[in-house]
Amino acid sequence: MKANFLCPNCRSYLNVGKNIVVVVKNANGDKGILLLSIQLGDYKIKKHANFDIEDDEIIKIYCPSCSKSIKHDSVYDNIYKILMQDEEDQEYEILFSGIYGERCTYQIRGCKVSSFGEDAGKYLDLTI
C-alpha cells in the first residue's frame, strides 16, 4: 500500500520510507525521535538506544516539522492523530495511543472505522 502520512496541523509529510517520524518527550522531559511503522497494526518502534521510555509510560508526541503537539481533541489525554492519504487521495484520520507499548490504532473516514491492536477495545467510544 502506498500512503502518505501528514501532520494534522501543518500537513507536512511525516513518512520516510517505511517509517513515520515523530518527536516525543518522555516522562522525564527528555526528547527523542521515534520511527513508527507505516503499516497499521505493526507496532515495531525504532528509537535511539540511549533514549529511555518504559512500557506503559505516557509520552507526548509532536510533529518534527512544526513542533506542535499532534494530540487529538478527545476525552483521553493520551490519544494522538495523524492524517493518512491513500493512493487514491482518500484521507483518513489515524488515531493512536501515546502510552508506550499500548497497541491500539484506529483508521477513520466518515462513519467507517477500522481498528488495530489488542488494546483497541479500550477506546472504542472514540469511534462512535
Side-chain angles (χ1 to χ4, degrees):
M1 169 173 88
K2 286 231 176 222
N4 287 309
F5 293 86
L6 308 169
C7 171
N9 300 307
C10 70
R11 298 189 63 86
S12 289
Y13 293 105
L14 300 176
N15 56 305
V16 177
K18 295 183 180 186
N19 295 296
I20 298 167
V21 180
V22 293
V23 174
V24 300
K25 188 186 294 186
N26 67 15
N28 293 329
D30 300 324
K31 285 187 176 181
I33 292 173
L34 294 186
L35 301 178
L36 313 174
S37 173
I38 62 168
Q39 184 67 39
L40 300 179
D42 179 355
Y43 294 97
K44 293 182 192 107
I45 296 174
K46 296 177 185 176
K47 66 176 187 63
H48 192 280
N50 291 338
F51 182 56
D52 294 325
I53 306 174
E54 301 293 325
D55 278 346
D56 300 321
E57 181 176 334
I58 297 173
I59 57 176
K60 295 181 180 176
I61 306 174
Y62 304 90
C63 171
S65 292
C66 69
S67 301
K68 290 183 181 176
S69 172
I70 57 170
K71 186 178 171 317
H72 183 264
D73 294 329
S74 74
V75 296
Y76 299 102
D77 286 338
N78 62 301
I79 298 297
Y80 289 84
K81 174 176 102 172
I82 59 176
L83 303 175
M84 182 183 96
Q85 290 176 335
D86 67 13
E87 53 276 340
E88 292 148 12
D89 284 336
Q90 300 277 343
E91 195 162 281
Y92 301 83
E93 286 187 337
I94 304 299
L95 305 182
F96 60 97
S97 176
I99 297 177
Y100 192 76
E102 193 166 68
R103 289 165 169 75
C104 67
T105 307
Y106 307 94
Q107 179 185 37
I108 303 169
R109 179 168 169 81
C111 295
K112 185 172 188 239
V113 177
S114 299
S115 61
F116 305 86
E118 63 232 28
D119 299 314
K122 190 173 179 179
Y123 304 101
L124 278 181
D125 58 330
L126 279 173
T127 63
I128 299 172

